[in-house]
Coordinates of all heavy atoms in Angstrom, one line a residue:
S184 N 20.3 169.3 -63.8 CA 19.8 168.5 -62.7 C 20.1 167.0 -63.1 O 20.4 166.7 -64.3 CB 18.3 168.6 -62.5 OG 17.5 168.3 -63.7
R185 N 20.3 166.2 -62.1 CA 20.6 164.8 -62.3 C 19.5 163.9 -61.7 O 18.9 164.3 -60.7 CB 21.9 164.5 -61.5 CG 23.1 165.3 -62.0 CD 24.4 165.1 -61.1 NE 25.5 165.6 -61.5 CZ 25.9 167.0 -61.4 NH1 25.0 167.7 -60.6 NH2 27.0 167.4 -61.9
H186 N 19.2 162.8 -62.4 CA 18.0 161.9 -62.1 C 18.5 160.5 -62.2 O 19.3 160.2 -63.0 CB 16.8 162.2 -62.9 CG 16.3 163.6 -62.9 ND1 15.5 164.2 -61.9 CD2 16.7 164.7 -63.7 CE1 15.3 165.4 -62.2 NE2 16.1 165.8 -63.3
G187 N 17.8 159.6 -61.4 CA 18.1 158.1 -61.6 C 18.8 157.5 -60.4 O 19.3 158.2 -59.5
V188 N 18.8 156.1 -60.4 CA 19.3 155.4 -59.4 C 20.9 155.6 -59.2 O 21.3 155.7 -58.0 CB 19.1 153.9 -59.6 CG1 19.8 153.0 -58.6 CG2 17.6 153.6 -59.6
P189 N 21.7 155.7 -60.2 CA 23.1 155.9 -60.0 C 23.5 157.1 -59.1 O 24.3 157.1 -58.3 CB 23.7 156.0 -61.3 CG 22.8 155.3 -62.2 CD 21.4 155.5 -61.6
F190 N 22.7 158.2 -59.4 CA 22.9 159.4 -58.6 C 22.4 159.3 -57.2 O 23.0 159.9 -56.3 CB 22.4 160.6 -59.4 CG 22.8 160.9 -60.7 CD1 22.1 160.6 -61.8 CD2 24.1 161.4 -60.9 CE1 22.6 160.8 -63.1 CE2 24.7 161.6 -62.2 CZ 23.9 161.3 -63.3
Y191 N 21.3 158.6 -57.1 CA 20.7 158.4 -55.7 C 21.7 157.6 -54.9 O 22.0 157.9 -53.7 CB 19.4 157.7 -55.9 CG 18.7 157.5 -54.6 CD1 17.9 158.5 -54.0 CD2 18.7 156.2 -53.9 CE1 17.3 158.3 -52.8 CE2 18.1 156.0 -52.7 CZ 17.3 157.1 -52.2 OH 16.7 156.9 -51.0
L192 N 22.3 156.5 -55.5 CA 23.2 155.7 -54.7 C 24.6 156.5 -54.3 O 25.0 156.3 -53.3 CB 23.5 154.4 -55.5 CG 22.4 153.5 -55.7 CD1 22.8 152.3 -56.5 CD2 21.8 152.9 -54.4
F193 N 24.9 157.3 -55.3 CA 26.1 158.1 -55.1 C 25.9 159.1 -53.9 O 26.9 159.3 -53.1 CB 26.6 158.8 -56.3 CG 27.8 159.6 -56.2 CD1 29.1 159.0 -56.3 CD2 27.8 161.0 -56.0 CE1 30.2 159.8 -56.1 CE2 28.9 161.7 -55.9 CZ 30.1 161.1 -56.0
R194 N 24.7 159.6 -53.9 CA 24.4 160.6 -52.9 C 24.5 160.1 -51.4 O 25.0 160.7 -50.5 CB 23.1 161.2 -53.2 CG 22.7 162.4 -52.2 CD 21.3 162.9 -52.5 NE 21.1 163.0 -54.0 CZ 19.9 163.1 -54.6 NH1 18.8 163.0 -53.8 NH2 19.8 163.3 -55.9
Y195 N 24.0 158.8 -51.3 CA 24.0 158.1 -50.0 C 25.0 157.0 -49.9 O 24.9 156.0 -49.3 CB 22.6 157.5 -49.7 CG 21.5 158.5 -49.7 CD1 20.7 158.8 -50.8 CD2 21.3 159.4 -48.7 CE1 19.6 159.8 -50.8 CE2 20.3 160.3 -48.6 CZ 19.5 160.5 -49.6 OH 18.5 161.4 -49.6
R196 N 26.2 157.2 -50.6 CA 27.2 156.1 -50.6 C 27.8 155.9 -49.3 O 28.3 154.8 -49.0 CB 28.2 156.5 -51.6 CG 29.1 157.8 -51.3 CD 29.9 158.1 -52.5 NE 30.7 159.2 -52.2 CZ 30.3 160.6 -52.3 NH1 29.1 160.7 -52.7 NH2 31.2 161.6 -52.0
R197 N 27.8 156.9 -48.4 CA 28.5 156.8 -47.1 C 27.5 156.3 -46.0 O 27.9 156.1 -44.9 CB 29.1 158.1 -46.7 CG 30.1 158.6 -47.6 CD 30.8 159.9 -47.1 NE 31.9 160.3 -48.0 CZ 32.6 161.3 -47.8 NH1 32.3 162.3 -46.8 NH2 33.6 161.7 -48.6
R198 N 26.3 156.3 -46.3 CA 25.2 155.8 -45.3 C 25.0 154.3 -45.5 O 24.1 153.8 -46.1 CB 23.9 156.6 -45.5 CG 24.1 158.1 -45.4 CD 22.8 158.8 -45.4 NE 23.0 160.3 -45.4 CZ 22.0 161.1 -45.3 NH1 20.7 160.7 -45.5 NH2 22.2 162.4 -45.2
K199 N 25.9 153.5 -44.9 CA 25.9 152.1 -45.0 C 24.7 151.5 -44.4 O 24.0 150.4 -44.8 CB 27.1 151.4 -44.5 CG 28.4 151.9 -45.3 CD 29.6 151.3 -44.8 CE 30.9 151.8 -45.6 NZ 32.1 151.2 -45.1
V200 N 24.2 152.0 -43.2 CA 23.2 151.5 -42.5 C 21.9 151.7 -43.3 O 20.9 150.8 -43.3 CB 23.0 152.2 -41.1 CG1 21.8 151.7 -40.4 CG2 24.3 151.9 -40.3
Y201 N 21.7 152.8 -44.0 CA 20.5 153.1 -44.8 C 20.4 152.1 -45.9 O 19.4 151.5 -46.3 CB 20.6 154.5 -45.4 CG 19.5 154.9 -46.2 CD1 18.3 155.3 -45.7 CD2 19.6 155.0 -47.6 CE1 17.2 155.6 -46.5 CE2 18.6 155.4 -48.4 CZ 17.4 155.7 -47.8 OH 16.3 156.1 -48.6
A202 N 21.6 151.8 -46.6 CA 21.6 150.8 -47.7 C 21.3 149.4 -47.2 O 20.6 148.6 -47.8 CB 23.0 150.8 -48.4
L203 N 21.8 149.1 -46.0 CA 21.6 147.8 -45.4 C 20.1 147.7 -45.0 O 19.5 146.6 -45.2 CB 22.4 147.6 -44.1 CG 22.2 146.4 -43.3 CD1 22.6 145.1 -44.2 CD2 23.1 146.3 -42.1
G204 N 19.4 148.8 -44.5 CA 18.1 148.7 -44.3 C 17.2 148.4 -45.5 O 16.2 147.6 -45.4
I205 N 17.6 149.1 -46.6 CA 16.9 148.8 -47.8 C 16.9 147.3 -48.2 O 16.0 146.7 -48.6 CB 17.4 149.7 -49.0 CG1 17.1 151.2 -48.7 CG2 16.8 149.3 -50.3 CD1 17.5 152.1 -49.7
L206 N 18.1 146.8 -48.1 CA 18.4 145.4 -48.4 C 17.5 144.4 -47.5 O 16.9 143.4 -48.0 CB 19.9 145.0 -48.4 CG 20.8 145.7 -49.5 CD1 22.2 145.3 -49.2 CD2 20.3 145.2 -50.9
L207 N 17.6 144.8 -46.3 CA 16.8 143.9 -45.3 C 15.3 144.0 -45.6 O 14.6 143.1 -45.4 CB 17.1 144.4 -43.9 CG 18.5 144.0 -43.3 CD1 18.7 144.6 -42.0 CD2 18.7 142.6 -43.4
F208 N 14.9 145.2 -45.9 CA 13.4 145.4 -46.2 C 13.1 144.6 -47.5 O 12.0 143.9 -47.5 CB 13.1 146.9 -46.5 CG 11.7 147.1 -46.8 CD1 10.7 147.1 -45.9 CD2 11.3 147.5 -48.2 CE1 9.4 147.4 -46.2 CE2 10.1 147.7 -48.5 CZ 9.1 147.7 -47.5
C209 N 13.9 144.7 -48.5 CA 13.6 143.8 -49.7 C 13.6 142.3 -49.4 O 12.8 141.6 -49.9 CB 14.6 144.1 -50.8 SG 14.5 145.8 -51.4
G210 N 14.6 141.8 -48.5 CA 14.6 140.5 -48.2 C 13.4 140.1 -47.3 O 12.9 139.0 -47.5
F211 N 13.0 141.0 -46.5 CA 11.7 140.8 -45.6 C 10.5 140.6 -46.5 O 9.6 139.8 -46.3 CB 11.6 141.8 -44.6 CG 10.5 141.5 -43.6 CD1 10.5 140.5 -42.8 CD2 9.4 142.4 -43.5 CE1 9.5 140.2 -41.8 CE2 8.4 142.2 -42.6 CZ 8.4 141.0 -41.8
L212 N 10.4 141.4 -47.5 CA 9.3 141.4 -48.4 C 9.3 140.0 -49.3 O 8.3 139.4 -49.4 CB 9.3 142.5 -49.4 CG 8.9 143.9 -48.9 CD1 8.9 144.9 -50.1 CD2 7.4 143.9 -48.3
Y213 N 10.5 139.6 -49.6 CA 10.6 138.3 -50.4 C 10.2 137.2 -49.4 O 9.5 136.3 -49.8 CB 12.0 138.2 -50.8 CG 12.3 136.8 -51.5 CD1 11.8 136.6 -52.8 CD2 12.9 135.8 -50.8 CE1 12.0 135.4 -53.5 CE2 13.1 134.6 -51.4 CZ 12.6 134.4 -52.8 OH 12.9 133.2 -53.4
Y214 N 10.6 137.2 -48.2 CA 10.1 136.2 -47.2 C 8.6 136.2 -47.0 O 8.0 135.1 -46.9 CB 10.8 136.5 -45.8 CG 10.4 135.5 -44.7 CD1 10.8 134.2 -44.7 CD2 9.6 136.0 -43.7 CE1 10.3 133.4 -43.7 CE2 9.1 135.2 -42.7 CZ 9.5 133.9 -42.7 OH 9.2 133.0 -41.7
L215 N 8.0 137.3 -46.8 CA 6.5 137.4 -46.7 C 5.8 137.0 -47.9 O 4.7 136.5 -47.8 CB 6.2 138.8 -46.3 CG 6.6 139.4 -45.0 CD1 6.1 140.9 -44.8 CD2 6.1 138.5 -43.8
S216 N 6.4 137.0 -49.0 CA 5.8 136.6 -50.3 C 5.5 135.0 -50.3 O 4.8 134.6 -51.2 CB 6.6 137.0 -51.5 OG 7.8 136.3 -51.6
G217 N 6.1 134.4 -49.4 CA 5.9 132.9 -49.4 C 4.8 132.5 -48.5 O 4.6 131.3 -48.3
F218 N 3.9 133.4 -48.1 CA 2.8 133.0 -47.2 C 1.5 133.6 -47.8 O 1.5 134.5 -48.6 CB 2.9 133.6 -45.7 CG 4.2 133.1 -45.0 CD1 5.5 133.6 -45.3 CD2 4.1 132.0 -44.2 CE1 6.5 133.1 -44.6 CE2 5.1 131.5 -43.5 CZ 6.4 132.0 -43.8
I219 N 0.4 133.1 -47.2 CA -1.0 133.6 -47.6 C -1.4 134.6 -46.6 O -1.5 134.4 -45.5 CB -2.0 132.4 -47.6 CG1 -1.6 131.4 -48.6 CG2 -3.4 133.0 -47.9 CD1 -1.6 131.8 -50.0
W220 N -1.7 135.9 -47.2 CA -2.0 137.0 -46.2 C -3.4 137.5 -46.7 O -3.8 138.5 -46.1 CB -1.0 138.1 -46.4 CG 0.3 137.7 -46.0 CD1 1.5 137.7 -46.8 CD2 0.7 137.1 -44.7 NE1 2.5 137.3 -46.0 CE2 2.1 136.9 -44.8 CE3 0.1 136.9 -43.5 CZ2 2.9 136.4 -43.7 CZ3 0.8 136.4 -42.4 CH2 2.2 136.2 -42.5
N221 N -4.0 137.0 -47.7 CA -5.4 137.4 -48.0 C -6.3 136.2 -48.6 O -5.6 135.6 -49.4 CB -5.3 138.6 -48.9 CG -6.8 139.1 -49.2 OD1 -7.4 138.8 -50.2 ND2 -7.2 140.0 -48.4
I222 N -7.5 136.1 -48.1 CA -8.3 134.9 -48.7 C -9.6 135.5 -49.1 O -10.3 136.2 -48.3 CB -8.5 133.9 -47.6 CG1 -7.2 133.3 -47.1 CG2 -9.5 132.8 -48.1 CD1 -7.3 132.3 -46.0
E223 N -10.0 135.2 -50.4 CA -11.2 135.7 -51.0 C -12.1 134.5 -51.3 O -11.7 133.5 -51.9 CB -10.9 136.5 -52.2 CG -12.1 137.1 -52.8 CD -11.9 137.8 -54.1 OE1 -11.1 137.3 -55.0 OE2 -12.3 139.0 -54.4
V224 N -13.3 134.5 -50.8 CA -14.4 133.4 -51.0 C -15.4 134.0 -52.0 O -16.1 135.0 -51.6 CB -14.9 133.0 -49.7 CG1 -15.9 131.8 -50.0 CG2 -13.8 132.5 -48.8
T225 N -15.6 133.3 -53.0 CA -16.7 133.7 -54.0 C -17.6 132.5 -54.3 O -17.2 131.4 -54.2 CB -16.1 134.2 -55.3 OG1 -15.3 133.2 -55.9 CG2 -15.2 135.4 -55.0
G226 N -18.8 132.9 -54.7 CA -19.8 131.9 -55.1 C -20.6 131.2 -54.0 O -21.5 130.4 -54.3
N227 N -20.3 131.5 -52.8 CA -21.0 130.9 -51.7 C -22.3 131.5 -51.4 O -22.5 132.8 -51.5 CB -20.2 130.9 -50.4 CG -19.8 132.3 -50.0 OD1 -19.3 133.1 -50.8 ND2 -19.9 132.6 -48.8

């Protein structure tokens, strides 16, 4: 059996839209990391 990222990428090497979706998702997560999405108030 084969395991790991190199084999995973080789298996889906012809699915360019799938790879593009992963890149866009990672970029979207990076964009969201620049905002405040949870606020915790303590001691009040």
Side-chain angles (χ1 to χ4, degrees):
S184 60
R185 298 172 175 84
H186 306 273
V188 174
F190 300 106
Y191 183 81
L192 295 178
F193 181 79
R194 187 183 309 163
Y195 297 101
R196 65 188 182 279
R197 294 182 179 178
R198 300 184 181 181
K199 297 180 180 179
V200 176
Y201 180 76
L203 179 61
I205 294 178
L206 292 176
L207 290 176
F208 179 74
C209 294
F211 186 60
L212 286 182
Y213 178 77
Y214 173 76
L215 292 179
S216 66
F218 297 83
I219 298 296
W220 301 120
N221 184 268
I222 300 176
E223 182 182 46
V224 181
T225 61
N227 57 311

